[in-house]
Amino acid sequence: MTVTEPETTTTTARTDTCAGPRPQNRRPDGQDKYTISEVAALTGLTAHTLRWYERIGLMPHIDRSHTGQRRYTNRDLDWLDLVGKLRLTGMPVADMVRYAELVREGDHTYHERFELLKATREDVLARIAELQGTLAVLDRKISFYADAGRALASERSR
């Protein structure tokens, strides 16, 4: 699976990075052979989850050592970072797997990937609006109780 997807525009070619700048605790490319336990420690995911991601097609084929031990790369960690961001959006696992399949299929799937991410963005915006309304209710209740608490304290001090 290609994690960095080339993206062309009418004026310039760009590289689509997965999720953001790389964390400092990564090994240099070429020396980036991580075990499943190291990836679990770096990502906070369990080894069981990592194996499940691979089994359902959410992860690309993971290289193996001569003894059969999984060996992850920085690109795999970048992909897992993106998957984590997609999970936070509330994107269903089936949609994440579909996105991974589209990436593996190549450039001709850009439009479908665009539409999938755009729909997810709309869902996130709707959830943000809902949470902002909820936050406003909480702020009103907190203000009410703060005012009521001050009034009670003032009454008791008389």
Side-chain angles (χ1 to χ4, degrees):
M1 171 189 307
T2 302
V3 173
T4 53
E5 307 163 31
E7 180 180 305
T8 54
T9 63
T10 54
T11 57
T12 181
R14 297 184 308 163
T15 299
D16 178 17
T17 58
C18 276
R22 277 195 180 160
Q24 297 294 330
N25 56 351
R26 301 255 184 105
R27 296 178 189 143
D29 288 342
Q31 299 173 17
D32 56 336
K33 299 296 181 192
Y34 303 92
T35 64
I36 197 166
S37 60
E38 289 172 321
V39 172
L42 287 168
T43 64
L45 298 169
T46 65
H48 174 78
T49 298
L50 292 166
R51 287 188 292 270
W52 180 66
Y53 280 1
E54 190 177 354
R55 194 169 50 252
I56 66 171
L58 190 52
M59 284 294 299
H61 169 75
I62 303 299
D63 286 334
R64 303 238 181 191
S65 70
H66 67 283
T67 60
Q69 188 178 39
R70 287 173 176 84
R71 293 290 184 207
Y72 295 84
T73 65
N74 286 330
R75 293 180 76 155
D76 297 323
L77 293 176
D78 290 344
W79 179 257
L80 286 169
D81 196 30
L82 175 65
V83 167
K85 299 287 190 269
L86 294 177
R87 286 181 61 217
L88 286 173
T89 70
M91 180 186 273
V93 172
D95 287 349
M96 287 188 277
V97 170
R98 179 66 184 140
Y99 180 80
E101 290 168 349
L102 292 169
V103 169
R104 285 190 293 269
E105 288 176 25
D107 293 353
H108 69 280
T109 65
Y110 273 11
H111 181 73
E112 197 172 344
R113 285 185 254 171
F114 170 81
E115 291 298 329
L116 184 60
L117 294 175
K118 188 172 149 192
T120 300
R121 184 179 190 279
E122 292 301 317
D123 292 344
V124 168
L125 288 172
R127 284 191 16 238
I128 289 171
E130 184 179 29
L131 286 171
Q132 285 174 331
T134 302
L135 183 60
V137 169
L138 287 172
D139 287 345
R140 284 193 302 275
K141 294 304 264 181
I142 288 168
S143 178
F144 170 80
Y145 287 116
D147 291 346
R150 282 190 290 276
L152 284 175
S154 173
E155 227 175 83
R156 287 186 192 145
S157 65
R158 288 185 193 171

